[in-house]
């Protein structure tokens, strides 16, 4: 296969060797101004792109007339103009399955740590301020037996429900585009409208993709529906939430606390009010950030790209319409 792959993400030596055995590879190891300049210079001869965390817009991809496939090392595809790619018959693939369990682990870690104020109280000990037994001022709230509300019952939502139902005896309520009978049977879960879920859940967890329909889904009106003891968890995408509305709800104690792994702008700005709220636990988008999962994601992305460039259907194809059109032309 005499193809040129532009790689804008570092891979393990084994995966790098695998790519180099099958194609010419150009590695762009940083995405600073110099790296972006080198990327633009490499695009005219590129048949395949592999990477993550870079917005590939039409202006950039117009520089790549030979491009056949883009392989994203992510489950989210909001960095890509899917209509543009499909219009040019470029296959887009992602890595949806391999990070499900790890991301659900992160979500439940945020539930536990936020409810029990783990980071806040650990910092108290570290600062030498644990001078007597803690009292009600530092009490947290129980997790077991509380109602877990999941907004977006996809793979990660189901994995989160499994942990809550079987591990912590939590009643599960959920909201999604359509009811999920199999989920309801397995976890004794109950479907709710969005407003009902926001009013009834003790823990409100977002596991939605970012789309035109979900952007800004949770705003001031939605936070007003939550109860003062509610804890809000976001492991989806930051732009699903109106961040200013969330900050106001936390400042005014409309809700008890928030555990956040994603934000409207990442990295989180140093002047963000979220950094100064004692009822916020913020992590740096670590949903899939384990050695095992990140390697599995990269391996999946390599498999997807090599399949696409060999004329085969990638296992995790996002724009199926392009593949159907290719079959029709054969």
């Amino acid at each position: 296969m005499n193809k040129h792959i532009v790689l804008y993400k570092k891979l393990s030596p084994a995966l790098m060797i695998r790519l180099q055995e099958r194609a010419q590879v150009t590695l762009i190891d940083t995405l600073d101004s110099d790296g972006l300049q080198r990327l633009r210079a490499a695009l005219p001869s590129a048949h395949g792109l592999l990477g993550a965390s870079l917005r590939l817009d039409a202006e950039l991809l117009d520089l790549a007339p030979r491009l056949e496939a883009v392989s994203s090392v992510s489950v989210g595809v909001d960095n890509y103009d899917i209509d543009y790619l499909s219009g040019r018959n470029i296959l887009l693939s992602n890595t949806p399955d391999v990070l499900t369990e790890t991301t659900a682990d992160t979500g439940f870690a945020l539930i536990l740590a936020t409810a029990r104020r783990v980071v806040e109280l650990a910092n108290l000990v570290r600062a030498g301020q644990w001078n007597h037994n803690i009292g009600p001022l530092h009490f947290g709230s129980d997790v077991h037996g509380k109602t877990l509300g999941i907004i977006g019952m996809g793979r990660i939502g189901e994995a989160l429900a499994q942990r809550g139902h079987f591990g912590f005896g939590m009643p599960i309520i959920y909201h999604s585009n359509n009811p999920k009978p199999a989920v309801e049977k397995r976890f004794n879960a109950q479907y709710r409208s969005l407003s009902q879920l926001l009013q009834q859940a003790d823990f409100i967890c977002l596991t939605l993709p970012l789309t035109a329909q979900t952007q800004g889904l949770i705003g001031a009106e939605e936070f007003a529906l939550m109860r003062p003891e509610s804890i809000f968890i976001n492991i989806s995408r930051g732009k699903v939430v109106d961040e200013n509305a969330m900050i106001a709800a936390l400042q005014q104690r409309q809700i008890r606390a928030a555990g956040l792994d994603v934000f409207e702008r990442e990295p989180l700005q140093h002047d963000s009010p979220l950094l100064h709220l004692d009822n916020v636990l913020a992590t740096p988008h670590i949903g899939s950030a384990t050695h095992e999962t990140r390697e599995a994601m990269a391996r999946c992305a390599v498999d997807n790209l090599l399949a696409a460039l060999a004329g085969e259907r990638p296992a995790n194809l996002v724009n199926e319409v392009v593949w159907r059109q290719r079959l029709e032309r054969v």
Side-chain angles (χ1 to χ4, degrees):
M1 180 169 61
N2 186 23
K3 298 292 178 71
H4 177 207
I5 293 172
V6 175
L7 177 67
Y8 54 98
K9 181 178 179 63
K10 292 181 180 178
L11 299 178
S12 66
L15 290 177
M16 193 68 180
I17 290 171
R18 185 165 173 232
L19 278 181
Q20 290 171 332
E21 288 175 345
R22 301 283 299 276
Q24 175 193 350
V25 179
T26 297
L27 172 62
I28 310 298
D29 54 2
T30 63
L31 290 176
D32 56 14
S33 58
D34 179 64
L36 290 173
Q37 185 175 348
R38 290 187 290 116
L39 175 67
R40 295 173 73 90
L43 285 175
S45 62
H47 299 93
L49 295 177
L50 190 152
S53 303
L54 175 65
R55 176 70 181 171
L56 293 180
D57 56 20
E59 180 183 2
L60 196 60
L61 292 180
D62 280 344
L63 300 174
R66 301 181 182 182
L67 192 62
E68 300 173 20
V70 176
S71 183
S72 183
V73 191
S74 68
V75 61
V77 290
D78 43 285
N79 272 331
Y80 307 93
D81 186 335
I82 298 175
D83 290 338
Y84 169 90
L85 292 172
S86 298
R88 283 190 52 190
N89 296 313
I90 297 169
L91 296 174
L92 173 64
S93 57
N94 64 345
T95 61
D97 295 315
V98 293
L99 52 68
T100 296
E101 298 298 332
T102 300
T103 305
D105 284 350
T106 301
F108 224 88
L110 287 173
I111 289 173
L112 288 167
T114 307
R116 298 305 304 271
R117 303 169 65 177
V118 170
V119 174
E120 177 189 355
L121 297 181
N123 286 339
L124 180 146
V125 175
R126 185 183 294 273
Q129 296 174 5
W130 184 29
N131 302 315
H132 47 75
N133 290 339
I134 67 168
L137 182 64
H138 293 111
F139 286 173
S141 58
D142 283 335
V143 174
H144 63 274
K146 295 293 183 68
T147 299
L148 176 58
I150 300 172
I151 302 175
M153 189 56 80
R155 296 178 182 90
I156 295 170
E158 288 191 34
L160 202 61
Q162 176 176 311
R163 285 154 176 75
H165 175 70
F166 292 112
F168 290 80
M170 303 177 80
I172 307 298
I173 60 176
Y174 74 99
H175 177 75
S176 64
N177 287 335
N178 300 292
K180 309 266 186 168
V183 170
E184 294 176 8
K185 181 177 179 180
R186 185 180 180 194
F187 306 124
N188 194 28
Q190 297 182 17
Y191 180 85
R192 294 287 189 270
S193 69
L194 181 59
S195 61
Q196 288 172 331
L197 184 146
L198 296 174
Q199 293 173 73
Q200 296 172 14
D202 296 300
F203 295 90
I204 298 162
C205 301
L206 294 188
T207 62
L208 291 164
L210 177 62
T211 66
Q213 291 71 40
T214 63
Q215 184 167 346
L217 179 69
I218 307 298
E221 291 184 10
E222 287 69 33
F223 283 108
L225 292 174
M226 301 178 196
R227 293 179 285 119
E229 61 269 27
S230 297
I231 291 178
F232 181 70
I233 305 293
N234 191 3
I235 55 171
S236 59
R237 286 292 185 268
K239 291 182 179 179
V240 174
V241 180
D242 179 336
E243 200 160 280
N244 287 330
M246 178 177 64
I247 290 169
L250 289 161
Q251 289 173 331
Q252 297 164 16
R253 304 287 171 166
Q254 283 184 298
I255 60 175
R256 174 170 290 173
L260 309 171
D261 190 44
V262 291
F263 307 89
E264 281 188 3
R265 293 180 62 189
E266 296 180 4
L268 185 63
Q269 301 302 293
H270 295 166
D271 60 352
S272 171
L274 292 170
L275 297 175
H276 306 290
L277 294 173
D278 59 10
N279 56 347
V280 171
L281 193 161
T283 52
H285 205 148
I286 62 170
S288 63
T290 67
H291 293 292
E292 300 92 337
T293 295
R294 288 293 175 87
E295 180 67 6
M297 291 171 66
R299 189 184 311 115
C300 179
V302 167
D303 290 344
N304 286 334
L305 185 58
L306 291 178
L309 294 181
E312 303 168 3
R313 184 190 182 283
N316 302 288
L317 183 59
V318 174
N319 50 350
E320 184 71 35
V321 62
V322 175
W323 186 252
R324 291 199 301 268
Q325 290 171 350
R326 290 189 182 186
L327 292 178
E328 290 171 359
R329 291 196 298 270
V330 174

PDB file of all heavy atoms in Angstrom, residues 26 36 92 153 171 235 261 296 307 311 329:
ATOM      1  N   THR A  26       4.161  10.626   8.149  1.00  0.00           N
ATOM      2  CA  THR A  26       4.694  11.905   8.611  1.00  0.00           C
ATOM      3  C   THR A  26       4.101  12.181   9.988  1.00  0.00           C
ATOM      4  O   THR A  26       2.884  12.248  10.139  1.00  0.00           O
ATOM      5  CB  THR A  26       4.319  13.053   7.651  1.00  0.00           C
ATOM      6  OG1 THR A  26       4.911  12.815   6.374  1.00  0.00           O
ATOM      7  CG2 THR A  26       4.819  14.385   8.201  1.00  0.00           C
ATOM      8  N   LEU A  36       1.464  23.078  13.401  1.00  0.00           N
ATOM      9  CA  LEU A  36       0.374  23.314  12.463  1.00  0.00           C
ATOM     10  C   LEU A  36       0.888  23.715  11.092  1.00  0.00           C
ATOM     11  O   LEU A  36       0.311  23.341  10.061  1.00  0.00           O
ATOM     12  CB  LEU A  36      -0.563  24.388  13.017  1.00  0.00           C
ATOM     13  CG  LEU A  36      -1.405  23.968  14.224  1.00  0.00           C
ATOM     14  CD1 LEU A  36      -2.170  25.163  14.777  1.00  0.00           C
ATOM     15  CD2 LEU A  36      -2.380  22.854  13.845  1.00  0.00           C
ATOM     16  N   LEU A  92     -14.764   8.751   7.665  1.00  0.00           N
ATOM     17  CA  LEU A  92     -14.420   9.180   9.024  1.00  0.00           C
ATOM     18  C   LEU A  92     -14.713   8.034   9.984  1.00  0.00           C
ATOM     19  O   LEU A  92     -15.814   7.472   9.976  1.00  0.00           O
ATOM     20  CB  LEU A  92     -15.245  10.407   9.424  1.00  0.00           C
ATOM     21  CG  LEU A  92     -15.108  10.867  10.887  1.00  0.00           C
ATOM     22  CD1 LEU A  92     -13.685  11.334  11.179  1.00  0.00           C
ATOM     23  CD2 LEU A  92     -16.115  11.969  11.202  1.00  0.00           C
ATOM     24  N   MET A 153     -28.618   7.679  27.209  1.00  0.00           N
ATOM     25  CA  MET A 153     -28.426   6.275  27.568  1.00  0.00           C
ATOM     26  C   MET A 153     -27.800   5.515  26.404  1.00  0.00           C
ATOM     27  O   MET A 153     -28.386   4.615  25.808  1.00  0.00           O
ATOM     28  CB  MET A 153     -29.760   5.650  27.987  1.00  0.00           C
ATOM     29  CG  MET A 153     -29.634   4.256  28.589  1.00  0.00           C
ATOM     30  SD  MET A 153     -28.536   4.152  30.010  1.00  0.00           S
ATOM     31  CE  MET A 153     -29.597   4.767  31.325  1.00  0.00           C
ATOM     32  N   PRO A 171     -31.706   3.427  42.456  1.00  0.00           N
ATOM     33  CA  PRO A 171     -32.758   3.474  41.447  1.00  0.00           C
ATOM     34  C   PRO A 171     -32.263   4.271  40.238  1.00  0.00           C
ATOM     35  O   PRO A 171     -31.648   5.331  40.404  1.00  0.00           O
ATOM     36  CB  PRO A 171     -33.904   4.199  42.147  1.00  0.00           C
ATOM     37  CG  PRO A 171     -33.619   4.050  43.611  1.00  0.00           C
ATOM     38  CD  PRO A 171     -32.129   4.030  43.733  1.00  0.00           C
ATOM     39  N   ILE A 235     -19.607  14.182  32.147  1.00  0.00           N
ATOM     40  CA  ILE A 235     -18.498  13.472  31.504  1.00  0.00           C
ATOM     41  C   ILE A 235     -18.737  13.395  30.002  1.00  0.00           C
ATOM     42  O   ILE A 235     -18.169  12.536  29.324  1.00  0.00           O
ATOM     43  CB  ILE A 235     -18.309  12.050  32.091  1.00  0.00           C
ATOM     44  CG1 ILE A 235     -19.618  11.245  32.011  1.00  0.00           C
ATOM     45  CG2 ILE A 235     -17.798  12.114  33.520  1.00  0.00           C
ATOM     46  CD1 ILE A 235     -19.455   9.765  32.364  1.00  0.00           C
ATOM     47  N   ASP A 261     -15.661  16.881  34.318  1.00  0.00           N
ATOM     48  CA  ASP A 261     -14.460  16.444  33.607  1.00  0.00           C
ATOM     49  C   ASP A 261     -14.306  17.159  32.276  1.00  0.00           C
ATOM     50  O   ASP A 261     -13.296  16.993  31.601  1.00  0.00           O
ATOM     51  CB  ASP A 261     -14.518  14.927  33.376  1.00  0.00           C
ATOM     52  CG  ASP A 261     -13.196  14.364  32.866  1.00  0.00           C
ATOM     53  OD1 ASP A 261     -12.145  14.763  33.410  1.00  0.00           O
ATOM     54  OD2 ASP A 261     -13.217  13.539  31.931  1.00  0.00           O
ATOM     55  N   ALA A 296      -5.476   1.170  23.689  1.00  0.00           N
ATOM     56  CA  ALA A 296      -6.535   0.469  22.958  1.00  0.00           C
ATOM     57  C   ALA A 296      -7.214   1.392  21.956  1.00  0.00           C
ATOM     58  O   ALA A 296      -7.555   0.979  20.833  1.00  0.00           O
ATOM     59  CB  ALA A 296      -7.554  -0.104  23.931  1.00  0.00           C
ATOM     60  N   ALA A 307      -7.570  -0.174   7.396  1.00  0.00           N
ATOM     61  CA  ALA A 307      -8.667  -0.807   6.663  1.00  0.00           C
ATOM     62  C   ALA A 307      -9.200   0.121   5.580  1.00  0.00           C
ATOM     63  O   ALA A 307      -9.407  -0.281   4.425  1.00  0.00           O
ATOM     64  CB  ALA A 307      -9.776  -1.211   7.625  1.00  0.00           C
ATOM     65  N   GLY A 311      -9.085  -0.108   1.160  1.00  0.00           N
ATOM     66  CA  GLY A 311     -10.340  -0.290   0.444  1.00  0.00           C
ATOM     67  C   GLY A 311     -11.361  -1.114   1.185  1.00  0.00           C
ATOM     68  O   GLY A 311     -12.348  -1.575   0.594  1.00  0.00           O
ATOM     69  N   ARG A 329     -20.881   2.419  -6.655  1.00  0.00           N
ATOM     70  CA  ARG A 329     -20.062   2.721  -7.829  1.00  0.00           C
ATOM     71  C   ARG A 329     -19.288   1.516  -8.331  1.00  0.00           C
ATOM     72  O   ARG A 329     -18.770   1.540  -9.447  1.00  0.00           O
ATOM     73  CB  ARG A 329     -19.089   3.855  -7.513  1.00  0.00           C
ATOM     74  CG  ARG A 329     -19.782   5.208  -7.309  1.00  0.00           C
ATOM     75  CD  ARG A 329     -18.773   6.334  -7.385  1.00  0.00           C
ATOM     76  NE  ARG A 329     -17.766   6.253  -6.343  1.00  0.00           N
ATOM     77  CZ  ARG A 329     -17.869   6.829  -5.144  1.00  0.00           C
ATOM     78  NH1 ARG A 329     -18.946   7.552  -4.866  1.00  0.00           N
ATOM     79  NH2 ARG A 329     -16.916   6.715  -4.254  1.00  0.00           N
TER      80      ARG A 329
END
